[in-house]
Amino acid sequence: MRPGKFISLEGGEGAGKSTQARALQAALEARGLHAIITREPGGSEGAEAIRTLLLSGDAGRWSAHSEALLFAAARADHVEKTIRPAIAAGHWVICDRFLDSSRAYQGLAGGIDDAAILALHGFGSRGLLPDRTFVLDLDMGTGRARTRARDGDRADRIAARDDSFHASVGEAFRRFAAAEPERFRLIDAGRPAQQVTAAILAGLADWL
């Protein structure tokens, strides 16, 4: 049995990651491939418990350093309990956020050195990286409007941060995509959802 593939979807708030995860799963299943959807923070029992700690409460509940540690702990459990077993079983794993969100949110936007984020990941998750990462790139105004339409006034403590923070997050993802073109694909997420899905599938054409 060949190992499966590990795909991550990244991007700012309202970029459509969850929608595209479902669409990609359906497209892969139609091709006879078994695909599972998971998310971060979360994806395993331990990681889901940490998710509640991370996303609830006021904006200042955790410092960027505390967040980085909590995300790394959640990711370690997620990788061990969910992602690695699924890949080993030959499944495709579609993850709504992974390491690169920590690099963007706690790293570039939060002020923590990228090397520190990667060191935590090397220890906790043994450095596992996605086989391919799709950054759903969307202008911040559209993303904010989509988030408000979806969540109303119920934004979590990270999504509720100010525009300058989220602008830094978007810039971080674009930097990562430019620096690592072998893993990343930058996708214009402002188009209709079906066109975004088609672009993602085109970015997987070498495996399909």
Side-chain angles (χ1 to χ4, degrees), residues 162-180:
D162 63 28
D163 286 351
S164 63
F165 179 88
H166 289 290
S168 295
V169 167
E171 176 60 25
F173 284 127
R174 288 187 285 273
R175 287 189 193 182
F176 301 156
E180 301 178 60

Side-chain angles (χ1 to χ4, degrees), residues 93-161:
V93 176
I94 304 164
C95 194
D96 183 343
R97 298 197 182 281
F98 193 64
L99 169 67
D100 299 301
S101 277
S102 287
R103 298 174 67 202
Y105 282 78
Q106 287 76 50
L108 194 143
I112 297 179
D113 187 72
D114 194 49
I117 301 287
L118 293 172
L120 285 173
H121 184 64
F123 173 74
S125 299
R126 290 177 288 163
L128 178 69
L129 291 176
D131 296 297
R132 194 148 296 164
T133 295
F134 293 93
V135 173
L136 304 185
D137 191 41
L138 185 68
D139 71 88
M140 192 169 58
T142 303
R144 284 288 201 194
R146 288 182 181 180
T147 301
R148 282 194 299 271
R150 182 190 67 201
D151 300 334
D153 296 326
R154 302 185 308 278
D156 65 55
R157 54 178 294 276
I158 295 177
R161 289 174 180 164

Side-chain angles (χ1 to χ4, degrees), residues 45-126:
E45 183 178 356
E48 289 289 338
I50 296 173
R51 179 186 178 91
T52 301
L53 293 173
L54 277 164
L55 299 186
S56 63
D58 63 55
R61 183 180 190 183
W62 306 107
S63 69
H65 287 80
S66 297
E67 282 182 0
L69 290 165
L70 287 166
F71 273 109
R75 185 167 300 120
D77 194 69
H78 184 203
V79 167
E80 179 183 352
K81 303 288 179 55
T82 302
I83 296 176
R84 286 191 187 276
I87 294 170
H91 307 316
W92 285 51
V93 176
I94 304 164
C95 194
D96 183 343
R97 298 197 182 281
F98 193 64
L99 169 67
D100 299 301
S101 277
S102 287
R103 298 174 67 202
Y105 282 78
Q106 287 76 50
L108 194 143
I112 297 179
D113 187 72
D114 194 49
I117 301 287
L118 293 172
L120 285 173
H121 184 64
F123 173 74
S125 299
R126 290 177 288 163

